[in-house]
Amino acid sequence: MASFLQLLLAWLGGCGCAGRLVPPSDRFQGSKAGFFRGNASQRWERPLLRSRRSWVWNQFFVIEEYAGPEPVLIGRLHTDVDHGEGRIKYVLTGEGAGTVFVIDEKTGNIHVTKTLDREEKAQYTLLAQAVDRASNRPLEPPSEFIIKVQDINDNPPVFLQGPYHATVPEMSNVGVIRTATPNMDRETQQEFLVVVQAKDMGGHAGGLSGSTTVTVTLSDVNDNPPRFPQSSYQFSVVETAPPGSAVGRLRAHDPDEGENALLAYSILDGGDGAEVFAIHTDALGQDGIITVRKPLDFESRRSYTIRVEATNTLIDPQYIRKGPFKDVATVRITVEDADEPPAFSRPEYRLAVYENSPPGTLVGKVTAVDLDSPSSVIRYSILPHTDPERYFSINPQDGTILTSVPLDREVLPWHNMTVVATEFDSPTQASHVQVAIQILDVNDNPPQLQHSYEAFVCDNAAPGHLIQLIRAVDRDEDGNMSHIIIRSPLGVREPNVTVRDNKDNSASLLLRAARLPAQGGALLVPLELVDGGSPTRTGSPTLTMSICRCRRDGAMHSCGPEALGSPAGLSTGALLAILACVGTLLALVLLFVALRKQKQAALLPFEEEDVRENIITYDDEGGGEEDTEAFDMAALQNPDAAPPPLQQRRLLRRDVLPRLHFPPALPSRVPPQPHDVASFLAARLSEVDTDPSVPPYDSIQVYGYEGQGSSAGSLSSPGSSCAGDSDAGGYEYLEEWGPLFRTLAELYGAPEGPPPT
């Protein structure tokens, strides 16, 4: 082994250096070392040559991963100037110097102190120098050399990106990682775990190996057709379900996934329910939703059968042999009975009636039946807000529609209303129908002039001059399409104007006379307008034409009396009208003053005789100024001044609507005299009770009149005398009645007492 290492070191060292290679001592066995001397010419048989320096360096080698008990000698540095005297010091600098590589400064031996790894660092570059130990003076120029780390098989193969994942379509052919079988099915197993091993040294003994895992996922292809779990389905739906209502859901099973599992559903032709029901696919593309397409009727049909087909939306031609990619199922739908409202015989009604028909005229009839029970009683009515004017009425038993008032087509040609049919036994079950009633036209409108013409004629116009072109119209439906005759009435005509019918519902008014009345007057032209309807209608308008002064070009200059040259100012008629107004106002003022004086004179005696206050309390609501007639205050103050009894007058309330009242029966007895207050009040009360028009109805009247002939005499009359009462003890007892009667006591001579508290 030692001889092998010596040969290896000799070969490695001789590749790049000149000098003599000396084998290391026995304690360095197991490692390689190089020994270099500087003066090689002294040992080679060649002429002596002068060298620039006495040593040459190239490179050393060290084996990686070597681990020994002590530092490993990898080489030795030596110079010819070193004679073993100990004054030479070897210095090593550069990469790893002092840490990885150390040198014996006396002998020049280089040792490696750590285990090296070529995969971390493959080589080191260092500088070697010999210096004087005492003075550190360089004895040789520094020389660079390289220490290379030799590789050994110490690293197994490594998969840098493992574990790996791969996807391959199911049913695929050979690939890089090859499928072992051609018919791998994703629906059976979706993932496979593969272990891959790599060996170095060509797989020979002693080599290292590494392994990784590869997960192979089978991607889906559309190789499975859809299949219904069952061949037939049963659903039910109530007959009142509106179109668009869901009946049920179907789902065909497809083992594929993603877009390969998307389905489309359809109803095949040939079934008896293909026109009544529809099917569509949900948003996820999995379920088929059956919906109502047309209204259902339990009484007419109670069940339907349809055939539903489920198809893949995406089909791969490569796997078409595995088809067909569709499936069919039979669906039976049962219609359930429900309590339905009455059904009209038509979805809407259009009726007609002639205008001006008398109330009660038959317009038409609507009919509704209860489909659940045809013998059920139906009641008919018109929605009030659809016929607010109550033009029509309906028989609630049979649905007959009648007119309530005469109708006018020219005012409203169509009437639209809603009729309601309700089950008599179940009022909540009701249905509505629209009824349109057309008002048919009759020739009930006479022709009339199209416009309110303001015609004028020039006072100097020549005979035959066209004064005005007039046109007639007819408000009836076909009136304007028939010919209207325009002419002058027989026996009544304007002698100065000729009416010429143009045969197109128009007429020309032509001047006949050569001389017209004085300017400022007017011509009244009577007309007769006759339509062609049945019966014939005739209009008799009168056209007024002003006679005006015109310019030479025929334009109007002036019309009316002011054009006769009268001076500026008011006309005689205007002055008379103003004077009449002023006279009327003066008469009204005088009449008002006279009535006011008469009223003050009538009230003055009562104010002098009766100085007491009369309080009238009543609960009737006031009626403003008109409420002054609700009570006769004079009757309450003095019965002698009362107005005549009810037989001679009749007062009506103005704060309520007048109603028809029968005159009350006249009393059989003679009215009481005014001084008989009790009889007077009884008579008034009797009048109120027998005649409800006498106000007020619910008032309380407090009369302040003191009756005559009282045995107790007057209690507080100012004219009563207190003479003779002093003998009976006077009025001192009034002081005992308290402060409230102090004023009364003072009036009757009682001494003045202390002021009230």
Side-chain angles (χ1 to χ4, degrees):
M1 184 67 181
S3 60
F4 172 75
L5 291 176
Q6 291 177 0
L7 293 175
L8 179 61
L9 291 174
W11 178 76
L12 293 174
C15 292
C17 62
R20 190 177 58 155
L21 187 62
V22 180
S25 61
D26 294 339
R27 62 187 181 96
F28 297 132
Q29 293 182 1
S31 64
K32 58 183 179 179
F35 180 84
F36 299 91
R37 290 186 179 271
N39 194 357
S41 60
Q42 297 178 0
R43 293 166 177 81
W44 289 1
E45 296 298 332
R46 62 177 181 177
L48 295 177
L49 297 175
R50 184 176 179 86
S51 177
R52 180 175 177 268
R53 58 187 178 185
S54 58
W55 57 357
V56 178
W57 310 97
N58 191 351
Q59 59 186 358
F60 291 152
F61 294 90
V62 60
I63 299 176
E64 67 171 339
E65 302 296 340
Y66 179 79
E70 55 185 8
V72 180
L73 176 65
I74 62 173
R76 181 181 180 186
L77 301 179
H78 189 74
T79 179
D80 291 341
V81 297
D82 185 6
H83 299 291
E85 299 174 351
R87 63 182 186 91
I88 302 299
K89 183 174 72 172
Y90 296 95
V91 179
L92 185 64
T93 59
E95 296 178 340
T99 57
V100 179
F101 304 101
V102 295
I103 188 171
D104 189 343
E105 61 182 13
K106 294 182 178 180
T107 62
N109 294 332
I110 301 175
H111 296 80
V112 58
T113 62
K114 295 182 179 180
T115 301
L116 303 181
D117 188 356
R118 189 197 64 83
E119 286 71 26
E120 293 182 359
K121 191 173 180 61
Q123 66 181 14
Y124 298 85
T125 301
L126 297 99
L127 291 176
Q129 190 175 17
V131 299
D132 184 81
R133 183 178 298 273
S135 62
N136 283 333
R137 180 177 58 85
L139 302 178
E140 294 286 346
S143 180
E144 181 181 276
F145 67 97
I146 297 173
I147 299 177
K148 290 188 175 182
V149 181
Q150 286 186 323
D151 183 45
I152 63 174
N153 191 12
D154 59 342
N155 292 291
V158 177
F159 293 93
L160 300 180
Q161 299 178 356
Y164 296 87
H165 294 271
T167 301
V168 61
E170 58 179 339
M171 307 297 175
S172 296
N173 294 325
V174 174
V176 177
I177 296 180
R178 295 174 175 83
T179 56
T181 59
N183 296 320
M184 289 187 297
D185 191 3
R186 184 198 64 82
E187 288 73 26
T188 303
Q189 183 176 353
Q190 186 174 359
E191 289 186 352
F192 295 88
L193 188 64
V194 180
V195 179
V196 180
Q197 186 182 51
K199 292 185 177 181
D200 58 7
M201 297 181 64
H204 295 289
L208 301 179
S209 65
S211 62
T212 187
T213 59
V214 179
T215 301
V216 180
T217 302
L218 297 182
S219 60
D220 184 61
V221 297
N222 192 8
D223 59 340
N224 294 283
R227 292 290 180 266
F228 283 105
Q230 56 194 66
S231 60
S232 63
Y233 294 85
Q234 182 79 24
F235 296 105
S236 62
V237 60
V238 67
E239 63 175 336
T240 56
S245 301
V247 178
R249 283 176 173 260
L250 297 175
R251 173 174 287 190
H253 178 67
D254 191 339
D256 297 320
E257 64 180 10
E259 63 180 9
N260 296 322
L262 297 179
L263 302 176
Y265 295 87
S266 61
I267 297 179
L268 299 179
D269 296 334
D272 54 5
E275 296 182 356
V276 182
F277 299 95
I279 190 170
H280 65 275
T281 309
D282 66 350
L284 300 178
Q286 298 296 317
D287 293 349
I289 304 175
I290 301 176
T291 57
V292 178
R293 187 175 180 181
K294 293 183 178 180
L296 304 174
D297 186 8
F298 173 81
E299 287 71 24
S300 61
R301 185 156 188 177
R302 302 187 178 185
S303 65
Y304 297 86
T305 301
I306 59 176
R307 298 175 67 241
V308 177
E309 182 182 69
T311 308
N312 276 130
T313 57
L314 298 177
I315 299 177
D316 192 345
Q318 184 177 355
Y319 305 100
I320 195 68
R321 66 183 186 279
K322 293 182 175 292
F325 289 87
K326 59 184 178 180
D327 196 16
V328 179
T330 302
V331 179
R332 179 180 175 82
I333 302 175
T334 303
V335 180
E336 296 180 351
D337 189 20
D339 189 9
E340 300 176 274
F344 284 94
S345 59
R346 303 180 195 172
E348 61 180 12
Y349 290 85
R350 294 190 62 174
L351 307 177
V353 64
Y354 281 100
E355 64 176 333
N356 301 326
S357 298
T361 302
L362 176 64
V363 180
K365 185 178 182 179
V366 297
T367 305
V369 295
D370 185 2
L371 300 179
D372 299 323
S373 178
S375 61
S376 298
V377 179
I378 305 298
R379 291 291 181 262
Y380 302 91
S381 62
I382 299 175
L383 285 181
H385 69 273
T386 61
D387 185 25
E389 288 80 10
R390 303 295 190 271
Y391 290 123
F392 303 94
S393 63
I394 189 170
N395 190 320
Q397 283 76 27
D398 60 3
T400 301
I401 300 176
L402 307 174
T403 61
S404 299
V405 296
L407 304 173
D408 189 358
R409 188 203 67 84
E410 287 71 32
V411 175
L412 189 62
W414 283 90
H415 294 265
N416 297 303
M417 62 184 183
T418 302
V419 175
V420 183
T422 308
E423 293 183 11
F424 182 75
D425 298 332
S426 180
T428 58
Q429 296 295 332
S431 56
H432 302 70
V433 70
Q434 296 296 322
V435 178
I437 300 177
Q438 182 183 9
I439 309 302
L440 302 178
D441 184 53
V442 297
N443 193 21
D444 59 340
N445 291 284
Q448 60 186 9
L449 293 177
Q450 185 177 15
H451 303 290
S452 179
Y453 295 96
E454 296 180 359
F456 72 94
V457 59
C458 297
D459 55 359
N460 57 355
H465 173 70
L466 176 62
I467 303 174
Q468 181 71 45
L469 179 66
I470 60 175
R471 182 172 294 276
V473 295
D474 192 343
R475 295 177 58 198
D476 293 319
E477 186 174 12
D478 299 328
N480 295 325
M481 303 186 65
S482 62
H483 174 59
I484 300 176
I485 301 174
I486 305 177
R487 64 192 179 190
S488 297
L490 295 177
V492 181
R493 57 184 301 178
E494 167 59 47
N496 298 315
V497 178
T498 300
V499 180
R500 186 179 66 188
D501 192 355
N502 297 329
K503 309 299 182 181
D504 59 352
N505 296 348
S506 67
S508 300
L509 304 183
L510 305 175
L511 181 63
R512 176 188 297 178
R515 186 173 184 180
L516 294 174
Q519 187 263 342
L523 301 178
L524 299 180
V525 182
L527 300 172
E528 186 178 64
L529 312 178
V530 183
D531 64 8
S534 178
T536 301
R537 297 289 180 179
T538 302
S540 301
T542 299
L543 185 64
T544 302
M545 292 185 180
S546 300
I547 302 176
C548 303
R549 179 178 298 174
C550 300
R551 300 186 180 93
R552 293 182 178 180
D553 57 357
M556 182 181 64
H557 180 268
S558 61
C559 289
E562 65 277 4
L564 295 176
S566 59
L570 295 176
S571 63
T572 304
L575 292 175
L576 292 177
I578 293 175
L579 292 176
C581 292
V582 172
T584 303
L585 291 176
L586 290 176
L588 291 176
V589 171
L590 293 175
L591 179 61
F592 176 75
V593 172
L595 291 177
R596 186 173 182 84
K597 289 182 178 180
Q598 183 179 1
K599 184 176 180 181
Q600 291 178 354
L603 295 178
L604 185 59
F606 300 104
E607 294 177 356
E608 294 177 353
E609 295 177 4
D610 193 358
V611 297
R612 293 166 296 168
E613 296 180 354
N614 298 320
I615 301 176
I616 300 175
T617 304
Y618 58 96
D619 297 330
D620 195 14
E621 183 178 357
E625 296 179 356
E626 297 179 354
D627 198 35
T628 58
E629 297 181 9
F631 302 101
D632 190 353
M633 303 297 294
L636 303 181
Q637 294 176 350
N638 190 351
D640 297 333
L646 182 64
Q647 292 81 355
Q648 303 179 19
R649 68 180 180 90
R650 183 179 181 85
L651 295 178
L652 297 179
R653 296 191 64 175
R654 300 185 182 180
D655 57 345
V656 296
L657 293 175
R659 292 182 294 181
L660 181 61
H661 298 288
F662 296 99
L666 296 177
S668 58
R669 62 184 181 86
V670 179
Q673 296 301 323
H675 62 272
D676 189 356
V677 178
S679 300
F680 172 77
L681 295 178
R684 287 288 187 258
L685 181 61
S686 177
E687 291 179 3
V688 173
D689 292 339
T690 57
D691 187 1
S693 64
V694 177
Y697 300 118
D698 53 353
S699 64
I700 300 178
Q701 302 181 12
V702 180
Y703 295 90
Y705 178 73
E706 182 177 353
Q708 299 178 3
S710 175
S711 58
S714 177
L715 177 63
S716 59
S717 175
S720 62
S721 175
C722 58
D725 293 340
S726 59
D727 299 338
Y731 298 96
E732 288 80 1
Y733 63 91
L734 294 177
E735 299 178 0
E736 300 176 0
W737 289 7
L740 296 178
F741 295 91
R742 181 175 301 277
T743 302
L744 186 61
E746 292 175 355
L747 290 176
Y748 289 92
E752 183 176 357
T757 58

